[in-house]
Amino acid sequence: AEKNMSTTSPPLSLPPIGLGTFKTSTTSSIYHAVKSGYRLIDCAAAYSNQEAVGDALQQLFEDGVVTRDDIFVVSKLPNTHHVWTEGVDEGRVESSLKDTLKELKLDRLDLFLMHWPFAFEDVNLFYPSARLSDGSPNPSVSMKCEYKSTWDAMARFRDLGLCDEIGVRT
C-alpha cells in the first residue's frame, strides 16, 4: 500500500536542545534558557503564555543574544480553532495562527503543529474546561475527529510565509 507521507526539502533540521514552555510564565526564565543555549522554543496557544515568550524573544533580539534565524519556534493550533464545518469556518485556523504570531511578536513560525487531531465546536473553550476535575473528557463539549480540512488550511500558511513547516503533535 502506498503511504501518503510529506517530506521537507531540504530535510527539516532541529536544534538539539529545546525548551517546552508548558506552565512557564516568566519572561526571565525563557530569556535565561535561550542565553544558556536553548535554541528551540516549543509553545502553544493552549498554554496561555505566548505573550511572555514573545517578550523574551524580543528582549533576546534587542540585546543581541540571538537573531531570529538562531531560534527555532514551534507553536500549536488549539482544538478550538480547527475547521468545524468545511467550507464555512476555515478562518478559525488562520485567526489562531495570526493571534499566535502577534503574541510571539514574530512574522513567521518555523513549525506550526496541530496540537491534537480533533476539533472543538466552541472557539471560546479553553483548558481546563475541556476536562473534568478528574482529568476525563468533559461530556458537555462538542468535539469530533477532524484534521483533513484543518491540515489543508494550515498548508496554505507555508505559501503565505506565515510558517516554514506544518505537522501534527499528538
Side-chain angles (χ1 to χ4, degrees), residues 8 12 68 72-77 93-94 96-98 100-101 104 106-114 150-167:
T8 61
L12 186 62
R68 173 61 183 95
F72 192 97
V73 182
V74 180
S75 191
K76 301 172 204 79
L77 176 74
V93 182
E94 185 173 353
S96 179
L97 176 56
K98 287 185 174 180
T100 286
L101 292 172
L104 293 172
L106 298 174
D107 58 2
R108 68 170 175 82
L109 291 175
D110 296 285
L111 178 59
F112 187 47
L113 299 173
M114 196 180 306
T150 298
W151 179 267
D152 291 344
M154 291 171 65
R156 290 191 290 274
F157 302 146
R158 291 183 296 189
D159 296 335
L160 296 172
L162 299 175
C163 64
D164 295 338
E165 298 297 336
I166 60 172

Side-chain angles (χ1 to χ4, degrees), residues 16-45:
I17 300 174
L19 176 69
T21 61
F22 180 62
K23 298 204 177 198
T24 301
S25 59
T26 66
T27 299
S28 176
S29 62
I30 297 159
Y31 182 96
H32 289 293
V34 172
K35 195 170 180 182
S36 298
Y38 285 83
R39 293 298 182 262
L40 185 148
I41 308 297
D42 178 58
C43 311

Side-chain angles (χ1 to χ4, degrees), residues 77-82 92 115-122 127:
L77 176 74
N79 306 73
T80 54
H81 283 73
H82 281 240
R92 290 167 52 149
H115 210 147
W116 296 87
F118 58 89
F120 292 165
E121 182 176 22
D122 187 349
Y127 307 100

